[in-house]
Amino acid sequence: MLFFNFLIAFMVGGIICVIGQLLMDVGKLTPGHTLVTLVVAGSILDGLGLYDPLIDFAGAGATIPITSFGNALTHGAMAEAEKHGWVGVLTGMFEVTSSGISAAIVFGFLAALIFKPKGKVD
Amino acid sequence: MDPQEYQQLEQQITPPTPYVKNVLKAFLVGGLICTIGQAIMYLYIIFFDFTDKTAGNATTATMVFIAAVLTGLGIYRKLGAFAGAGSAVPVTGFSNAVVSAAIEGRTEGMVLGVGGNIFKLAGSVILFGVGSAFFVALIKLILVTAGVVKW
Amino acid sequence: MVILFTSKPSIIACGVAAGPLEQRSVFYSYFDSVAEDERWGQKSNEQGHSKMIQEACDIVMEKAKIKNLDVDFFLSGDLVNQMTPTNFAARELAISFIGLFSACATSVSSVIVASLLTELGASQYAIAGAASQHNAIERQFRYPINYGFQKPATAQWTVTAAGYALIGKHDPNLPSIVAGTVGKVVDYGEVNPLHMGGAMAPAAYDTITSHLKKRHQKITDYDLIMTGDLGKIGLKILKAMFAQSGEKQEDLEIFRDAGGEFYGEDEKFQAGASGAGCSASVFFSYIEQQLKTGRFKRVLLVATGALLSPLSYQQGETIPCTAHAIEITME
Amino acid sequence: MKKFIIFFFVPFFLIGCSNEQIVKVSNNAADGEKREEIENLIRDTKEVYTGTAILAGDELLVAIQVNPWLGYKEQKVEKKLQKEIKEKYPDLHVLVSSDYKMHWESQKLLNEKDSKKLKDEVKKLKDLAKEET
């Protein structure tokens, strides 16, 4: 049965990437525009209460794509808004965290100390 | 030859975007990255005190770390050139954007170079992520207050 | 605007310095020096870029057996903001210097200016050329080097190379510059910065046709018409434009592109090479040597340049392009 | 391409057909009737393919694994079963969880004989399950 969990993660993750690819190729968006679109989409899906079921269904297939970043932030903001009402929408902004950002900052900083850009073709 | 005629000619000669090939590559690589994520998640659950809920952060951080190393070694660039959105859309692609910008800024010093450039590419993702989180929460709160939906 | 150089200034000597990846170039054997390190042992890519320019100029002077004090003018440009690599190289060379920017067309525009100064009698020796360093340019115009993104088949690879020529008074045993065309800026509305060949082809077409018309020549009067960095696809477009204007299919073989040929058929480089150093390194090594051996008697070198900046692209501007041409003969 | 399609769609049918549920209840529970009833309650939840119930005194941990293709219903199934068991045994401290961690750990506890240790482990797992990100 575990195999199917992997299969679903593979397929859902793959499909989200395909949506990104179509945005780039057919929609002629830059990578930056594509990622922003997906993040906002993840945020809206969470607002509609659809992203959590997707995570339950697909596991890493839904948490690894960047859409989950929008979901995580929205989740934090909505949780605060639920608790504290109007003030919560604002304070929620300071509560929200994303391990992806923090990790990327730390490792980015460390990598800058170690690596140099190399113009290799292969 | 006027610009319109020229653009027709240009389009005839320019090879078309290989949509199907690109989509397949994105699907396979994107799916594979998520599968690796799933495997790491299970490892965290099985060998450490993590649950489905709490393993997510650890998994993301691990994936980000792996992508940071691959970026430094120049391997993620090759992966990106091959897979397109397949490697850009997963959180590893976010890591790639942050880390590559940080490495690039090194020659301008830690503050102006690394600090000033680290979010050159990823900054918009953070801005729109946080911004849309704010507005979605706000709209939901309004709807809940108006009694249209429940939390 | 076509300029005739009646005194026929000659190319006295040439020097090309290239980066490690350029060992894969089909023109590799014609280059004078190929570095092991893409930064030339310097701390930053930009400093390495500067060092590469110095090295190429030193080679030129060494070949001509002259010193920097003997050179009257240094005419050069690159693609980095405010051309600092060239400026810094000029500081080290200590030669009267004018920085020129025509993007990747600088290799030829600098030779035109040098020829003018020679014709005028103001210059005995002038070093002209251009350079580009992959890392420094990619970083500025596109993404960080280590950022992974998909390149379309039309994308080109910025070369790491510097090509310089010493322009002096006419010498019948050396290739001589008989005419030059300063191109107009042409913009056919291309917006994709990863399709430079498509943006620049109309500029090349415009410059070549103006040159031929003013000189009362046909394309077959040349042994070779070589464009700078249209790339494989850009060259096809240029040929199609000439085919549409009534040139015979077999005559179109006269057109070649330095960028398209630079890395051979290696698909990793997509449509080929680009960058100011691309045309400069090919024109001032391979072409010069072929002229000297007499394989070519009359060539038209057309360096093309896309005059965009990352800012103009982000602001949604189209890509204006230019092309400059020089006609070189060997007696 | 054909192989590709088969590779992806065969699992749908396979999983659609197999309805075999594996339900285990820890042996330590003295009350045989209770054990059976809990087992039946889990069996009645069609979405569940593996259920493990650990009964330690008044602590009950029910670890379920929902059919992967119905994973999106996980939370609902969890809540439904929680409610059912709670109604039947109001005096038990029940936690129904579809978390993989609970499933994994409960397998180890199935044959745990020491009731004191069992109770501690179950409590620890319940705390873990309540942890948010």
Side-chain angles (χ1 to χ4, degrees), chain D residues 26 28-29 54-61 92 115 118-120 122:
Chain D
S26 64
N28 229 21
I54 307 291
L55 195 54
D58 57 350
E59 298 283 342
L60 175 63
L61 175 71
L92 280 182
S115 64
L118 189 68
K119 197 162 178 176
D120 285 350
V122 169

Side-chain angles (χ1 to χ4, degrees), chain D residues 1-60:
Chain D
M1 199 66 198
K2 232 178 190 172
K3 268 188 189 162
F4 194 71
I5 290 166
I6 291 168
F7 174 73
F8 277 112
F9 287 94
V10 160
F12 278 98
F13 300 116
L14 282 179
I15 200 82
C17 299
S18 74
N19 244 336
E20 218 170 295
Q21 287 175 309
I22 308 160
V23 180
K24 289 177 196 155
V25 182
S26 64
N27 298 322
N28 229 21
D31 192 343
E33 196 185 324
K34 209 186 245 175
R35 275 179 58 191
E36 207 162 293
E37 276 195 359
I38 291 169
E39 195 180 322
N40 285 338
L41 275 175
I42 300 172
R43 280 199 192 281
D44 286 346
T45 315
K46 288 280 165 261
E47 294 90 345
V48 173
Y49 75 89
T50 305
T52 315
I54 307 291
L55 195 54
D58 57 350
E59 298 283 342
L60 175 63

Side-chain angles (χ1 to χ4, degrees), chain A residues 101-113, chain B residues 93-106 108-124 126, chain C residues 139 144 147:
Chain A
I101 297 181
S102 328
I105 293 173
V106 173
F107 298 136
F109 187 76
L110 291 176
L113 295 175
Chain B
F94 179 80
S95 171
N96 175 235
V98 172
V99 175
S100 64
I103 294 175
E104 197 88 348
R106 178 66 200 281
E108 287 86 74
M110 273 306 170
V111 175
L112 300 178
V114 177
N117 285 306
I118 194 163
F119 290 125
K120 200 175 155 195
L121 298 170
S124 58
I126 297 177
Chain C
R139 164 186 188 175
Y147 182 63

Side-chain angles (χ1 to χ4, degrees), chain A residues 59-61 63-65 99-100 103 107, chain B residues 33-45 50-67 91-92:
Chain A
T63 57
I64 295 294
S99 54
F107 298 136
Chain B
I33 291 174
C34 292
T35 313
I36 294 170
Q38 184 81 23
I40 291 175
M41 202 174 107
Y42 277 131
L43 290 181
Y44 273 117
I45 291 175
F50 284 104
T51 61
D52 279 359
K53 266 186 222 152
T54 52
N57 273 347
T59 308
T60 305
T62 310
M63 296 295 279
V64 162
F65 172 74
I66 296 170
V91 72
T92 46

Side-chain angles (χ1 to χ4, degrees), chain A residues 52-113:
Chain A
D52 270 352
L54 187 67
I55 291 177
D56 287 338
F57 177 59
T63 57
I64 295 294
I66 199 78
T67 38
S68 80
F69 176 54
N71 164 64
L73 294 172
T74 312
H75 231 69
M78 291 207 308
E80 281 287 299
E82 188 176 357
K83 258 190 257 167
H84 306 297
W86 297 100
V87 188
V89 178
L90 275 179
T91 58
M93 290 287 86
F94 310 115
E95 291 278 325
V96 295
T97 47
S98 167
S99 54
I101 297 181
S102 328
I105 293 173
V106 173
F107 298 136
F109 187 76
L110 291 176
L113 295 175

Side-chain angles (χ1 to χ4, degrees), chain B residues 1-16, chain C residues 153-156 186 188-192 194-206 208-209 227 229-247 249 252 255-257 260 271 304 321:
Chain B
M1 191 178 278
D2 62 41
Q4 257 179 352
E5 274 173 24
Y6 174 71
Q7 267 162 16
Q8 263 181 4
L9 178 81
E10 188 192 348
Q11 256 170 24
Q12 269 171 28
I13 293 169
T14 305
Chain C
T154 53
Q156 289 166 260
V186 177
Y188 273 23
E190 176 68 50
V191 288
N192 183 359
L194 291 173
H195 192 0
M196 290 302 190
M200 296 190 297
Y205 179 82
D206 186 77
I208 296 170
T209 46
T227 47
D229 55 359
L230 292 180
K232 295 185 176 98
I233 294 160
L235 181 65
K236 270 190 198 161
I237 297 173
L238 181 70
K239 282 183 180 176
M241 290 176 89
F242 275 100
Q244 275 200 2
S245 70
E247 299 290 349
Q249 200 65 39
L252 296 177
F255 290 102
R256 285 171 63 183
D257 183 67
T304 46
C321 294

